[in-house]
Amino acid sequence: MTKSDILDWFSVNNASLDANRILFVLGMGILLGAVIFATYRITYAGVSYNAKFNVGNVVMLLIASVIMLMISNNIAISLGMVGALSIVRFRTAIKDPQDTIYIFWSIVEGLCVGAQMYKLAFLSVIVIAVVLVSASMYYHARKKYLIIIRGGQSLCTNEILRIIGDRYKRAVLKAANYSVGHCELIVEVAAKGTLDDSVIDALRQTADVMSVNWLLEMGEHIG
């Protein structure tokens, strides 16, 4: 194969991939990635926000766009790419199931941009972002708390539930642990905003109560 044959082959296989088109596709990917980035930052409700993961979603979108550009212009490359990606194994555990949504969302938007389906990409990213933000606002408006009451063996469960029930409509006894000289009750309540301190003070003044703690319940984990 001569030098001219190699240059001809290179130009033929990249005839439709001029620099302006590639930059335009990547620019659209960055724009959509910014929407995903902002949505994740707004809706994140965990204990420790991971900025690297959020940036990784944007980069993942761009990578998916490049892959689509590659396989949409050459059948041989598309077949080879399928074989190459099939041997890749990811072992990183995802702690929050919500993160899986953003990973899949970034990949799908990247495929749309790489396939130059811009209308589908823009409409879908806006609709999904609105749904996620709306769902996040709904969850934040009605939070679930776990109140942990520790006391002596004579601790009155009915009295504890009455005190909490007077302030919150939904109070459910989730667990009751009894041991020699010791009792622990875990009650779940739904509250708007933060937990009222008055219920904590009332519980502390109850007979035989040693300590009262509360935790914010966050789906799969408690933070």
Side-chain angles (χ1 to χ4, degrees):
M1 182 179 291
T2 63
K3 181 179 179 181
S4 60
D5 293 334
I6 297 176
L7 293 176
D8 290 340
W9 181 86
F10 185 86
S11 61
V12 169
N13 283 274
N14 296 273
S16 59
L17 289 177
D18 57 281
N20 292 332
R21 179 187 172 191
I22 296 174
L23 293 176
F24 183 78
V25 169
L26 294 179
M28 290 296 178
I30 293 175
L31 182 61
L32 296 180
V35 177
I36 297 177
F37 183 93
T39 304
Y40 183 81
R41 187 68 185 91
I42 294 172
T43 61
Y44 184 79
V47 178
S48 178
Y49 168 70
N50 190 346
K52 291 183 179 179
F53 174 81
N54 204 1
V55 174
N57 288 330
V58 180
V59 177
M60 190 181 307
L61 191 153
L62 297 178
I63 293 174
S65 301
V66 173
I67 292 176
M68 277 303 297
L69 286 176
M70 292 172 56
I71 66 178
S72 62
N73 287 273
N74 192 299
I75 297 178
I77 293 179
S78 64
L79 295 176
M81 186 64 66
V82 171
L85 294 178
S86 65
I87 64 175
V88 178
R89 296 291 184 271
F90 298 97
R91 301 295 183 183
T92 303
I94 299 176
K95 298 181 180 179
D96 191 347
Q98 188 79 2
D99 292 345
T100 308
I101 297 176
Y102 286 90
I103 293 174
F104 190 64
W105 185 19
S106 300
I107 294 175
V108 170
E109 296 298 338
L111 296 178
C112 288
V113 173
Q116 301 178 63
M117 303 174 68
Y118 302 122
K119 183 183 294 186
L120 175 61
F122 274 99
L123 290 178
S124 62
V125 78
I126 294 300
V127 171
I128 295 174
V130 170
V131 171
L132 290 174
V133 172
S134 300
S136 176
M137 293 175 63
Y138 171 77
Y139 294 142
H140 290 169
R142 198 72 175 177
K143 297 179 180 179
K144 290 184 178 181
Y145 294 89
L146 294 179
I147 303 177
I148 305 173
I149 304 99
R150 297 182 179 89
Q153 194 171 7
S154 60
L155 183 65
C156 182
T157 303
N158 293 332
E159 177 66 13
I160 296 297
L161 293 178
R162 185 193 64 78
I163 294 174
I164 299 176
D166 289 342
R167 293 167 174 81
Y168 299 100
K169 295 181 179 179
R170 186 179 181 276
V172 181
L173 181 63
K174 304 293 289 188
N177 301 315
Y178 298 96
S179 60
V180 179
H182 182 266
C183 175
E184 180 183 80
L185 304 177
I186 301 177
V187 182
E188 181 187 75
V189 298
K192 294 182 178 180
T194 58
L195 196 66
D196 190 0
D197 290 338
S198 63
V199 67
I200 304 298
D201 295 335
L203 290 173
R204 287 175 176 172
Q205 296 174 7
T206 305
D208 215 19
V209 172
M210 298 178 181
S211 66
V212 180
N213 300 313
W214 63 267
L215 296 172
L216 176 61
E217 188 176 5
M218 305 176 66
E220 297 295 328
H221 59 279
I222 298 174

